[in-house]
Amino acid sequence: LHSAFSIKNSVCAPQGFFADGISAGLKANGKKDVAFIYSDTPCDISYVLTTNTMQAAPLKHLKQQNELKTNFVLINAKNANAMTGQAGIDDINEILQSSDHPLTNPVMSSTGVIGVRLPKEKIINALQNFDLSVQNGNSAAEAIMTTDSFSKSIAFDVVLDDGSSFKIGAIAKGAGMINPAMATMLCFITTDAAIPKADMDELLQSTTVTTFNAISVDGDTSTNDTVMLLANGKSGAYDKQAFKQTLHNVMQHLALQMVKDGEGAKKMVAFNVTGAKNDEEAQIAAKALSNSLLVKTALFGEDPNWGRIAATVGASGVTAFEDKLNIAYNDVKVYDQGENLFSPEIEEKAGKILQQDQFTIHCDLGVADGKFRAYGCDLGYEYVKINADYRT
Amino acid sequence: LHSAFSIKNSVCAPQGFFADGISAGLKANGKKDVAFIYSDTPCDISYVLTTNTMQAAPLKHLKQQNELKTNFVLINAKNANAMTGQAGIDDINEILQSSDHPLTNPVMSSTGVIGVRLPKEKIINALQNFDLSVQNGNSAAEAIMTTDSFSKSIAFDVVLDDGSSFKIGAIAKGAGMINPAMATMLCFITTDAAIPKADMDELLQSTTVTTFNAISVDGDTSTNDTVMLLANGKSGAYDKQAFKQTLHNVMQHLALQMVKDGEGAKKMVAFNVTGAKNDEEAQIAAKALSNSLLVKTALFGEDPNWGRIAATVGASGVTAFEDKLNIAYNDVKVYDQGENLFSPEIEEKAGKILQQDQFTIHCDLGVADGKFRAYGCDLGYEYVKINADYRT
């Protein structure tokens, strides 16, 4: 048993952490575009990276630092430093080594356009200008935004039964490209819990599957996705179950914020697949639904077109049968084991649910006990607009 | 050696075939919505059906007729007769048995909305009104259109070295949902070639892989996709190589017509992947490119954003390396084994290619000899508009 309280200051809430965001001239209009997270005590670090085979330079650099303790993460927006080869890694080393700050094994994280070298001088200049005594997590959250329409952060104070406590804070960015295999999204989680490195690795991996890897905006994975957990142990407190539960809440909150901020999205939809042959098949079907263009455009059109739900489950290739399938919008059943339940009243009820900002589409396959819940959004004109001219 | 000449009359070009389309009142405004193809001599029949596990009633009915000879195919638009269970199959039997025409093992094919029973009386009435002596393939092609903006048909006269000849004709429908695994598309091919049944099966399967299964509009597969080949043997002529080549030309032509007619699409793009580990990996990468929303919206925005090409190849999971990859728009190379080739001139040249209606994106993985060419289109506001309110 433990208690968790939502608190302020995101990544700066845990003891010994500092963060800020400033403008380095990468974004237009002098917006913040470079951020740091600093810990006055070196941290253990765990991370989950994109499954994209074209991993960006900062990810390659990060993997080279494995098994080390770090006290500093530098983050920039507007340039992904991806497809830049060894030169991209050299740029990172040159930038990080340029600093007079007391950095221990610093690492970097980037998001933005692919295939262009980092504007090194601007970032070196910004790094020099950072004040490592500032604790402004929100400012860091703003600086890492790209197509995000709002910044994303959260923190919890976890009080254990023995009265000891630790904190977990996080910032994240992500709006487009959020995907089944976790796409252009960055998430930085800090904690002062005295968590063993093995628990960090285990819990970050498993929680990513049910949170960031369960959301989808457009089905594409990026070269730069990174979820990073930094633990400096300063609170001296730890309980695995409490940490696991709170980490899930932190990551789930940020994942749903990303779906809500899906490029041009107006609706957040949970795709709750149950009764699948196993959890893996449930996951395949749920993600197929959250990724289907025909489902997404029907959501945008507020059309309770359950035929597209059934067809998408069928197209996903999982074990499913026309005479065992059930489909419902929230509590309104529309298809039941071979029977179309649409009457004018039911269709109107279903249509009203689709007009809401948030709802759940239930899809019970009636085969066995496998289940998975994915999250997605509608796709409308705004999505096309944002992505047709993102680079410019 | 053989000669093939493009001729008129599509499915009615081969000897002994008849076809027409009429209005049964399924489409608004009295448009044609029901069609037939009739042969005065029973035909061998081969087909390739959707991989969607929720196969529609006409597909189940068709599979029950296997190994039989048929002389009649009835096709309707506006209603897919999918997710209708045994009742959907019973409806087909009732419709086909209602006819006074001399039908031998008749089969049916449907496209349209999912989950609604067929308007039986209207179709029975239309079937009764068909004149089986009419040879109007174009009328049949019009009747099977759904969101198609133009009808699709073709025919060839194949003259062999010994002076004998046979004909192949075809009609097709498909605009939305065209997909890597062949989606809501129907294609009916007729021939009077004296082709053995085993060759029919073999050639229809293999040609589908490189034609209809290589095109993509939105990555979803439908419940109703059907490619059907009917052969009545009346010409007495046959040559396997000539048939194979001509069948490929027929199916490739119709596949590209479908891409051109992709819902709201303005551009047809070939994704030519070479240098893959093997042909399978080339196919995975090429289809990932033709299905990527970020690639499709960049095409719509006429933005030579090659980073999205690289990231999509990476996300597809095939064997690929940043320092071996080559990317080009037509003959304009933009990325070469780790090097971004963009200069203001090159970017302008690439941008001009993207403004064209048709072009090729070359992606050489530099790994081995695997290759595949997929076809796709851009995705713009029109796609959203068409699909947000298709049902209504």
Side-chain angles (χ1 to χ4, degrees), chain B residues 45-51 59 62 73 108-109 169-173 181-190 200-201 203-209 211-213 215 224-230 247 250-252 254-255 258:
Chain B
I45 176 170
S46 287
Y47 47 79
V48 179
L49 305 179
T50 182
T51 57
L59 283 70
L62 178 61
V73 184
M108 195 166 176
S109 191
I171 59 172
K173 67 129 305 204
M182 199 181 78
T184 298
M185 57 143 302
L186 301 177
C187 177
F188 305 92
I189 306 163
T190 59
M200 290 174 67
D201 291 343
L203 297 180
L204 195 69
Q205 284 285 348
S206 63
T207 310
T208 299
V209 172
T211 58
F212 294 123
N213 283 0
I215 62 175
N224 289 58
D225 314 324
T226 302
V227 181
M228 193 183 286
L229 172 60
L230 299 163
L247 183 68
V250 164
M251 291 169 69
Q252 179 78 345
L254 294 171
M258 288 180 196

Side-chain angles (χ1 to χ4, degrees), chain A residues 22-33:
Chain A
I22 65 174
S23 168
L26 280 62
K27 287 181 186 167
N29 309 324
K31 283 186 184 166
K32 291 166 188 169
D33 46 27

Side-chain angles (χ1 to χ4, degrees), chain B residues 85-106:
Chain B
Q86 182 59 41
I89 299 173
D90 293 344
D91 287 346
I92 294 171
N93 280 316
E94 190 181 336
I95 290 168
L96 293 174
Q97 284 160 16
S98 74
S99 171
D100 297 331
H101 296 300
L103 309 187
T104 307
N105 303 312

